[in-house]
Amino acid sequence: MNTPTKYSYDALDFDLCDLDDIISSYDASTDPILQPLWAQIATDLWAEIGAYGQGINQYGETMQGHLERISADGRDFMVQLGFSQTAGNNFYDAFKLSDIGKLHRDYDIGIWSLPHRPTDEERAEKRKHTLRGLDYLEDAYARYDVSDAFLNHPHIKIVIPALMLYHHERLDGQGYAKKSADDLGKTMRMACIVDAYDGDRIHRPHQPAKRTPIEAIERMMALGDDKKYAGAFDADLLDAFKTFKS
């Protein structure tokens, strides 16, 4: 536990407010710098996620379900918010890898299926998956004949890492990387909402029952006694997401 990470948030220079324009500036499915190689790499990485924990706890299947849902929700919600379908598709392609750091070699797979609430030490270790995702992808790209142009393409250099690193941020600055409202554009604010929503809908072993959709959204709105998410999310986007999911 508590293995030092190779990367730090401070060492990575992303303007997360510019992400709204960057994710709309190309089409990952047809871009000649990315394709056809990226299609193969993305397929291989998705297979690695699904295979994680086979014969132990099948956690990769659980992770694939979560990643598919949040990526599809984000894509469709972005279009509803006025982004292009291409931007939504780019988001979908990138966000499916947002938790791949959980496969990192430094993890004991059991940490992802604890029968109890995580301890402070376990929680801190789990949070490292965002940074470890960069390490995992760096190793993965090294297995292929990728060009400098490929590695410097905005999908590879900015969009995938940004969504991976910062999808647990809060507007009040209490997220993993301590980004605050002024640091987060609409794409990142939306990504944080769709990820938290689906995470709250997953039934954990220590919970008596799975939360309903409205229970999860109202918890995110801090409407009840549970104030875990007070100040975390963009209120207007959360209202729009509530309508989107209804």
Side-chain angles (χ1 to χ4, degrees), residues 37 153 185 214:
L37 181 58
H153 189 280
I214 191 61

Side-chain angles (χ1 to χ4, degrees), residues 9-22:
Y9 295 111
D10 292 339
L12 299 163
D13 185 18
F14 294 119
D15 188 332
L16 297 178
C17 292
D18 287 347
L19 190 64
D20 299 344
D21 292 329
I22 294 170

Side-chain angles (χ1 to χ4, degrees), residues 94-205:
F95 212 38
K96 285 175 70 177
L97 301 178
S98 57
D99 279 346
I100 202 167
K102 293 180 177 180
L103 278 61
H104 195 276
R105 58 188 174 276
D106 285 346
Y107 277 121
D108 176 349
I109 191 173
I111 200 170
W112 306 115
S113 55
L114 298 170
H116 56 266
R117 289 184 183 275
T119 64
D120 289 345
E121 182 184 22
E122 289 167 338
R123 188 174 288 108
E125 187 72 4
K126 291 170 74 172
R127 285 187 169 198
K128 294 177 184 175
H129 76 273
T130 54
L131 288 166
R132 287 176 176 168
L134 297 183
D135 193 19
Y136 192 94
L137 287 181
E138 182 180 275
D139 289 345
Y141 297 150
R143 303 196 301 260
Y144 300 86
D145 185 19
V146 296
S147 65
D148 288 342
F150 176 95
L151 292 174
N152 286 304
H153 189 280
H155 195 62
I156 303 300
K157 187 175 182 179
I158 299 174
V159 175
I160 293 172
L163 291 172
M164 179 181 295
L165 287 171
Y166 303 115
H167 67 275
H168 289 293
E169 295 313 293
R170 297 170 52 117
L171 269 60
D172 59 11
Q174 298 304 305
Y176 288 16
K178 307 303 180 187
K179 298 293 183 180
S180 60
D182 290 344
D183 301 314
L184 304 171
K186 185 177 286 187
T187 300
M188 281 312 317
R189 293 180 183 213
M190 180 275 302
C192 295
I193 287 172
V194 299
D195 180 74
Y197 169 78
D198 194 76
D200 259 25
R201 289 273 292 128
I202 295 172
H203 185 204
R204 316 289 178 177

